[in-house]
Structures are given as structure tokens and as C-alpha cells.
Amino acid sequence: MPKTQYNITAIPAFTDNYIWCIHNQTHAAVVDPGDALPVMEFLNNNKLILTDILITHHHHDHTGGISTLLDNNAELTVFGPQNERIKGITQRVAENDVVTIDSLGIAYSVLSVPGHTLDHIAFSNDTEVFCGDTLFSAGCGRMFEGTPEMFVHSLDKLANLPEETKVFCTHEYTLANLAFAKHVDASNNDLHEYANWAERQREEGLITLPSDIKTQKLINPFLRANDPKIQSFLQASGNLSIQDSVSCFASLRALKDNF
Ligand SMILES: [Zn+2]
């Protein structure tokens, strides 16, 4: 069967959110519409019919637009986590469920990726993953509800996707994340090279996403918590309890929260 042709476009929202729109010439799905207005503008401007919404977790900047979009089209299918706090979900999904967007001919597997929140899920196929606030370029989400063990396990799941998988995260936090990454992983040449590229992108007003799993494994300290150089850096900074990737992750996350 020929592969379905579709594009994925970032719809900027709030100050640094991206609402990803998966679309062909006629139909569209959106991921984490925190605000309905920019989505409706994009759909109007491009003459697209919205058929599906994918939700990764309960935070308002990812869910705030659901009710207005449903008011405009009661036929929408809204896929999201098994969390009753999120209103408007029409199909609650969990790990290993398959989400099918019929209008686009696309299917995504659901991954459970708790850590940032307990209800957090990601949607992935062979070519892309929508990972919400779990994995960012050169960083990861704050640990609001989970434990370090949980978060490391979730990040491992994402790191084990095929290396060419494109990573669609929800925020443009790349430069701030890179400043921290360079602090804890100063001798990483891939990181410096990527940082130069990202700075140029932002200077030109361009976005830094999507990234890909291969790049993130090379440059993202939160995917490199088993790296002896990062562990040594943390130990030399006084974190003597670092023995494994979980304690290293916990130390990195705490350090980043106050960076
Ligand atoms: Zn969030």
C-alpha cells in the first residue's frame, strides 16, 4: 500500500507552545490544542476540515481549546488519556492502543510516558512521535507528578523508537535547554554543533522543531543520564549520590529546575 501523504505544520499558540497540525489537502488533525482560535484560523486559511484531536496530558495549555473546537463540530473524535479531569475526550486510550485518523489514513500507537504528569501519553508511528511535555529538544518536562524512575522509563521508551523518528514536542524551549545542557555536558561536540544550528534558526525567526531521536540521544542530557561524563560532572558539583541513570536523572532535573 502506498504511504499516505501528509504534512505536519506548527501552529504557534500562547508564548511558546506549538499546536501540531497533521493535514493533507482537505482534512486535518491537531495535537494538544491549548487554544482554539489559532487552530480555527489555520483551518480557515488553508480550507481544512478538522476531524480529530490528539491530547497528550491534562495541562490547560494542551487542552484549553477542546470545548470550543467541539462546539464548532460535534463530530470530532478526541483521543486522550484515561483521566476524567480532561473534559471532551471521546476516546480514552492507553499504552499499546492504536489511534486511527481515518480522514488522513494514519495510525499512531499510544505510549504511556508518565513523569511530567501521571496521565501523559505519546502518539507514535514509524516516522514521528508527538510527545507533549515529556521530551523537549535538549531537555524534558518538569517532573510535576511522577518519580525519577517513572520519568527515566518513559524517556527510555522514546529513546528506543527508531533513530530517524521525528520528535514533535509542544514547546520552543530549545535555547534555554541548550544553555543547561552545555553546562552539564560541556565537552559534547555534537551538542555544541546543534546549539550553533539552533541559535541560527532562532535568529532567523525559525523554529527548532521537530528534532529526531538520533539527535536527542546525542545532545539531550536527560537521555544521557547513564553517560559517565555527565555523572562525573554532577559528582564533582557535590552530588555524591549519583550511581545510576535514575539518580543522575533526578539530580539533573533538580538542577535544571533552578538553573
Ligand atoms: Zn504540561
Side-chain angles (χ1 to χ4, degrees):
M1 210 167 71
K3 193 165 163 47
T4 314
Q5 292 294 316
Y6 56 94
N7 294 312
I8 304 174
T9 306
I11 305 172
F14 307 116
T15 50
D16 50 32
N17 284 62
Y18 295 129
I19 300 168
W20 295 107
C21 182
I22 313 157
H23 58 97
N24 57 19
Q25 301 294 324
T26 52
H27 291 85
V30 288
V31 185
D32 287 352
D35 189 359
L37 199 61
V39 172
M40 293 191 297
E41 277 175 9
F42 181 84
L43 297 171
N44 279 337
N45 291 342
N46 294 281
K47 299 187 170 47
L48 295 170
I49 300 162
L50 184 68
T51 57
D52 298 79
I53 296 177
L54 308 181
I55 297 293
T56 63
H57 67 294
H58 69 83
H59 284 157
H60 189 72
D61 64 319
H62 297 249
T63 57
I66 298 174
S67 64
T68 305
L69 293 170
L70 272 173
D71 286 347
N72 279 284
N73 177 3
E75 305 286 296
L76 281 179
T77 305
V78 186
F79 299 99
Q82 314 257 356
N83 179 354
E84 297 300 323
R85 282 167 69 187
I86 313 173
K87 302 297 175 210
I89 303 288
T90 62
Q91 287 205 32
R92 297 195 185 273
V93 294
E95 176 95 349
N96 293 329
D97 283 346
V98 174
V99 161
T100 307
I101 303 173
D102 292 331
S103 67
L104 298 172
I106 310 173
Y108 293 110
S109 301
V110 176
L111 304 175
S112 171
V113 286
H116 174 67
T117 61
L118 291 178
D119 66 351
H120 209 306
I121 55 175
F123 300 91
S124 84
N125 61 8
D126 288 344
T127 49
E128 65 252 6
V129 60
F130 296 96
C131 53
D133 289 351
T134 297
L135 180 65
F136 294 128
S137 184
C140 71
R142 278 183 187 255
M143 194 169 64
F144 286 119
E145 296 175 8
T147 64
E149 289 80 4
M150 220 180 242
F151 215 141
V152 167
H153 184 61
S154 296
L155 291 174
D156 281 347
K157 257 188 220 177
L158 297 174
N160 284 327
L161 293 171
E163 291 209 316
E164 61 279 10
T165 306
K166 289 195 175 133
V167 176
F168 290 86
C169 357
T170 315
H171 290 274
E172 182 61 66
Y173 288 160
T174 309
L175 292 191
N177 287 337
L178 284 166
F180 176 74
K182 288 195 277 189
H183 175 65
V184 297
D185 196 11
S187 64
N188 183 337
N189 288 331
D190 295 310
L191 172 60
H192 291 287
E193 216 169 277
Y194 177 83
N196 290 339
W197 171 83
E199 280 159 23
R200 282 199 306 275
Q201 287 288 106
R202 297 307 288 152
E203 277 165 16
E204 291 170 25
L206 301 172
I207 74 175
T208 61
L209 301 170
S211 185
D212 58 62
I213 293 294
K214 182 179 181 185
T215 304
Q216 291 308 309
K217 281 158 80 170
L218 289 172
I219 63 133
N220 191 324
F222 294 95
L223 295 186
R224 301 169 58 74
N226 59 356
D227 185 301
K229 282 195 301 215
I230 294 180
Q231 294 187 359
S232 305
F233 170 85
L234 294 170
Q235 282 160 350
S237 313
N239 286 284
L240 300 176
S241 59
I242 308 290
Q243 305 128 354
D244 54 19
S245 55
V246 171
S247 53
C248 181
F249 172 87
S251 169
L252 283 172
R253 192 54 266 173
L255 206 58
K256 173 69 169 66
D257 286 346
N258 298 302
F259 186 72

